[in-house]
Amino acid sequence: MPRYEITIEKDACDGIFACLTRDPRFVEGEDDLATIDPGADPVYDCEGEVADTERQVVATFDDDRIDEARQAAAACPTDAIVVEEVGE
């Protein structure tokens, strides 16, 4: 199973939230921008590491849901989300 990282650049996010409809781990943050909450998925018991800084949100997962994350990134009209494999 691939280990992958999801990065949301806060400067590029404009709060359209198209990502939320593609992957339930994406949620609206307190700053009215997209963020990631592994526990927000009502179907899957999901675990991941999330670092939320002033400039970006970086989440790392090692599950089989990379395609959902890629769909969320592709739906972002401002290209604020990057998904990349970082190992196995």
Side-chain angles (χ1 to χ4, degrees), residues 8-9 12-13 16 51 56-57 83-84:
I8 303 172
E9 295 294 339
C13 180
I16 292 175
Q56 61 185 196
V57 177
V83 179
E84 57 190 355

Side-chain angles (χ1 to χ4, degrees), residues 31-88:
D31 56 3
D32 296 323
L33 301 175
T35 191
I36 299 172
D37 178 0
D41 191 322
V43 177
Y44 295 100
D45 185 19
C46 184
E47 292 184 19
E49 301 169 18
V50 180
D52 191 339
T53 68
E54 186 177 314
R55 297 181 53 213
Q56 61 185 196
V57 177
V58 179
T60 306
F61 295 95
D62 56 358
D63 55 34
D64 61 355
R65 299 181 61 199
I66 191 170
D67 288 337
E68 289 178 53
R70 287 180 175 148
Q71 290 173 13
C76 180
T78 62
D79 296 324
I81 303 168
V82 175
V83 179
E84 57 190 355
E85 289 189 36
V86 292
E88 295 253 349

